[in-house]
């Protein structure tokens, strides 16, 4: 399966997906890495691996609609089977998501439905959580509320600050995302009637 990865920053999750795709038996290949930030260091790292990269600087477009139209046009050319959002920091419009619903996934650094949005680690600590983690989910119109494909859990330790917790979670993100992508690309999870469906589900 052909995968386009959207990033806005370091792209550590994208790089782990790229590593996983290098295994011959892995059912996916990354055909493009796209970013809304031309300076995203993940673009340089992807290009160094010979992956096609494209950037769509938000300020180069009159409107969000034009910005998304440019990305949709590029996707029509590249024709990925799935889109993986990985540290992509823009909210995609309903039109964009409807065009890709069921074929676009995201990794979010919390155990959804807890802590959608930003500053998830600080919020988990303030809430007194004893566990935290990350979620890979199908992207739907609402922010961070699509059907869950997989989750990974880590302990919140005494004395943790947001950075310590973020570092611990990032480690399990890097295992969860490739595993979730393999399941999706292999057809072992799909989205139906707004739900994630797994083979063997009743
Ligand atoms: C990670 O915490 C990820 O969960 C969130 O963006 C952060 C940075 O990801 N989506 P990356 O290093 O750019 O992959």
């Amino acid at each position: 399966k052909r995968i386009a990865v959207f990033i806005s920053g370091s792209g550590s999750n994208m790089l782990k997906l790229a590593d996983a795709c290098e295994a011959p038996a892995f059912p996916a290949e990354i055909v493009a890495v796209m970013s809304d930030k031309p300076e995203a260091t993940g673009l340089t790292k992807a290009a160094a691996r010979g992956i096609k990269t494209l950037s769509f600087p938000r300020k180069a477009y009159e409107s969000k609609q034009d910005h998304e139209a440019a990305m949709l046009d590029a996707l029509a050319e590249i024709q990925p089977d799935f889109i993986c959002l990985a540290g992509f920091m823009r909210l995609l419009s309903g039109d964009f998501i409807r065009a890709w619903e069921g074929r676009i996934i995201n990794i979010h650094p919390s155990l959804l439905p807890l802590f959608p949005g930003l500053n998830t680690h600080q919020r988990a600590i303030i809430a007194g959580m004893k566990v935290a983690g990350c979620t890979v989910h199908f992207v739907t119109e609402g922010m961070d509320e699509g059907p869950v494909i997989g989750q990974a859990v880590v302990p919140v330790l005494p004395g943790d600050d947001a950075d310590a917790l973020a570092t611990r979670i990032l480690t399990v993100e890097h295992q969860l995302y490739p595993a979730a992508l393999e399941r999706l690309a292999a057809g072992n999870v799909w989205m139906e009637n707004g739900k994630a469906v797994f083979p063997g589900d009743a």
Side-chain angles (χ1 to χ4, degrees), residues 142-158:
M143 179 182 66
D144 300 330
E145 60 179 30
V148 172
I149 296 171
Q151 295 187 301
V153 182
V154 299
V156 179
L157 299 175

Side-chain angles (χ1 to χ4, degrees), residues 9-14 86-89 106-109 121 170 173-174:
S10 61
S12 72
N13 277 290
M14 174 274 295
F88 186 65
M89 301 311 276
N106 180 45
I107 188 159
H108 177 76
H121 309 306
L170 202 57
E173 288 183 36
H174 292 165

Side-chain angles (χ1 to χ4, degrees), residues 25 50 96 99 116 138 168 180:
F96 188 109
F138 285 105
R168 192 171 309 123

